[in-house]
């Protein structure tokens, strides 16, 4: 590991317990900054309501850290929107944001559009499929942005146990075995091509907070490459010392199957490739195989290649800031 990264790990890696909530609230009052929490959601009726309820109870009523909670629904076919609204979130549908630009499927698309429907000086993203959600998933990563003026982006780090679906103990959890795309794709890419980012424990984690002034300058890959792309671009824009991570304990969520992880990996590789060479894949697609009635059948999926420009370049966003 680079000496610079070792120094960064000592100076920019914290625990959520390092900043008690009262210290964070004091810093919020002193700086006058507002905080928005965004949950990108697609068919998450089972978990989104509990997450919103915890944020409103612990970080809005009991401790006034969060100023707004916004769930951006990207086309759910279940009761995600109704459950989120009932829990107290403001729900906005992806297609209703910036309709001049037709929306495409993908998590990054939702995060990018969320900048237009939130007001916070600090924007905190939280995945909507988390179970056993705790308030320090938000306060832990927002805290450094309020207490450290030279920090611009904070990622959560955590253990990610994997639920075992078969074998001698189905239903048990395997410690440290979650985050398979991180270990098999993202971490090797970062260590080989952006070694200054090698200290991030969860580079692809969906829980992170950043200053709006940074987010509005970043391009957003529309799909699963958004987290890697954001880290790499932020490194070049503000430097390593402006990035940080906070340990929030254990993260439990719904795990995807191997083929879905393969598609995620392809999107992440594509995001890295664009940043390495700004080149073009000869064939931007991924073929996987599923066993059918007549043997293994190919299934080909397109790889996310589109990116949204920095929000600061969008006329409607600029007009809103003037207003």
């Amino acid at each position: 590991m680079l000496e610079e990264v070792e120094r960064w790990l000592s100076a920019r890696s914290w625990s959520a317990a390092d900043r008690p909530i009262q210290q964070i609230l004091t810093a919020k009052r002193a700086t006058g900054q507002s905080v928005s929490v965004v949950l990108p959601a697609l068919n998450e009726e089972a978990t989104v309501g509990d997450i919103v309820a915890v944020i409103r109870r612990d970080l809005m009523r009991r401790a006034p850290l969060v100023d707004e909670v916004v769930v951006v629904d990207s086309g759910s076919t279940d009761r995600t929107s109704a459950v989120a609204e009932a829990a107290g979130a403001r729900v906005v549908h992806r297609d209703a944001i910036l309709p001049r630009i037709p929306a495409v499927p993908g998590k990054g698309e939702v995060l990018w559009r969320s900048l237009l429907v939130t007001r916070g000086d600090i924007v905190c993203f939280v995945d909507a499929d988390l179970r056993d959600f705790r308030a320090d998933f938000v306060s832990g990563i927002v805290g450094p942005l309020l207490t450290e003026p030279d920090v611009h982006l904070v990622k959560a780090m955590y253990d990610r146990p994997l639920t075992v679906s078969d074998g001698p103990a189905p239903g048990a959890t395997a410690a440290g075995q979650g985050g398979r795309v991180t270990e098999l794709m993202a971490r090797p890419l970062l260590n080989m091509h952006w070694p200054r980012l090698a200290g991030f424990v969860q580079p692809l984690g969906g829980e992170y907070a950043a200053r709006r002034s940074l987010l509005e300058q970043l391009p957003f890959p529309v799909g699963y490459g958004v987290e890697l792309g954001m880290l790499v671009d932020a490194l070049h824009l503000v430097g390593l010392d402006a990035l940080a991570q906070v340990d929030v304990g254990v993260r439990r969520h719904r795990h995807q199957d191997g083929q879905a992880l393969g598609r995620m990996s392809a999107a992440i590789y594509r995001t890295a490739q664009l940043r390495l060479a700004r080149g073009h894949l000869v064939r931007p697609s991924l073929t996987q195989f599923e066993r059918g009635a007549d043997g293994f059948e190919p299934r080909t999926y397109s790889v996310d290649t589109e990116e949204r420009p920095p929000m600061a370049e969008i006329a409607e966003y600029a007009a809103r800031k003037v207003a």
Side-chain angles (χ1 to χ4, degrees):
M1 183 178 291
L2 297 175
E3 288 186 11
E4 179 186 8
V5 176
E6 291 181 350
R7 290 193 299 270
W8 177 85
L9 278 168
S10 297
R12 288 290 185 256
S13 294
W14 297 294
S15 166
D18 291 338
R19 291 175 178 80
I21 188 64
Q22 288 305 319
Q23 177 187 353
I24 298 171
L25 291 175
T26 298
K28 183 177 192 286
R29 287 191 293 269
T31 62
Q33 296 180 87
S34 55
V35 177
S36 299
V37 175
V38 172
L39 280 72
L42 177 63
N43 294 330
E44 303 294 356
E45 68 175 1
T47 50
V48 68
D50 289 341
I51 297 172
V52 171
V54 169
I55 294 171
R56 286 186 55 81
R57 182 192 68 209
D58 294 347
L59 299 177
M60 297 182 81
R61 290 196 294 270
R62 292 179 180 173
L65 176 64
V66 172
D67 297 282
E68 62 175 349
V69 182
V70 179
V71 171
V72 182
D73 191 326
S74 58
S76 297
T77 56
D78 66 0
R79 299 182 62 252
T80 290
S81 290
V83 169
E85 279 188 335
R90 176 161 61 93
V91 177
V92 184
H93 291 271
R94 176 200 61 196
D95 296 353
I97 306 170
L98 198 61
R100 172 177 65 84
I101 300 176
V104 298
K107 179 182 180 181
E109 178 83 353
V110 174
L111 301 184
W112 181 72
R113 290 175 186 265
S114 75
L115 297 180
L116 265 166
V117 293
T118 53
R119 293 283 182 177
D121 303 300
I122 293 170
V123 182
C124 176
F125 298 118
V126 176
D127 281 350
D129 65 344
L130 300 190
R131 303 195 307 271
D132 304 324
F133 178 80
R134 303 181 313 278
D136 58 6
F137 270 73
V138 172
S139 59
I141 56 178
V142 168
L145 294 166
L146 291 169
T147 62
E148 309 287 336
D150 54 347
V151 170
H152 290 256
L153 184 149
V154 182
K155 298 279 293 190
M157 56 177 167
Y158 31 66
D159 294 315
R160 296 181 66 179
L162 177 67
T163 301
V164 179
S165 58
D166 53 17
T173 57
Q177 295 303 305
R180 290 160 288 172
V181 175
T182 293
E183 301 303 329
L184 298 175
M185 174 59 71
R187 199 176 308 286
L189 281 172
L190 292 175
N191 276 263
M192 286 186 293
H193 299 297
W194 296 281
R196 296 171 68 202
L197 296 174
F200 277 94
V201 175
Q202 296 291 352
L204 300 185
E207 289 67 52
Y208 49 99
R211 301 189 189 281
R212 178 177 293 273
S213 57
L214 170 63
L215 293 172
E216 66 187 14
Q217 297 181 69
L218 298 177
F220 277 61
V222 298
Y224 283 115
V226 62
E227 275 86 20
L228 182 134
M230 190 176 295
L231 264 189
V232 170
D233 293 340
L235 173 68
H236 290 294
L237 194 62
V238 295
L240 182 60
D241 284 340
L243 313 180
Q245 59 185 350
V246 172
D247 188 349
V248 297
V250 179
R251 180 187 196 266
R252 303 181 189 279
H253 67 117
R254 172 175 45 81
H255 292 282
Q256 308 227 35
D257 62 35
Q259 294 210 332
L261 297 181
R263 297 191 289 275
M264 291 171 62
S265 297
I268 290 162
Y269 178 79
R270 171 61 172 173
T271 300
Q273 183 194 47
L274 284 172
R275 277 149 183 79
L276 286 168
R278 295 294 168 180
H280 297 280
L281 284 172
V282 174
R283 186 168 179 263
S285 61
L286 173 72
T287 298
Q288 297 176 318
F289 293 87
E290 298 177 8
R291 184 181 289 279
D294 299 319
F296 286 103
E297 301 173 356
R299 300 283 188 272
T300 299
Y301 301 88
S302 60
V303 173
D304 294 317
T305 59
E306 189 171 356
E307 296 195 3
R308 295 305 189 189
M311 187 56 78
E313 299 177 6
I314 300 299
E316 288 89 338
Y317 186 79
R320 191 192 76 162
K321 291 187 72 174
V322 170

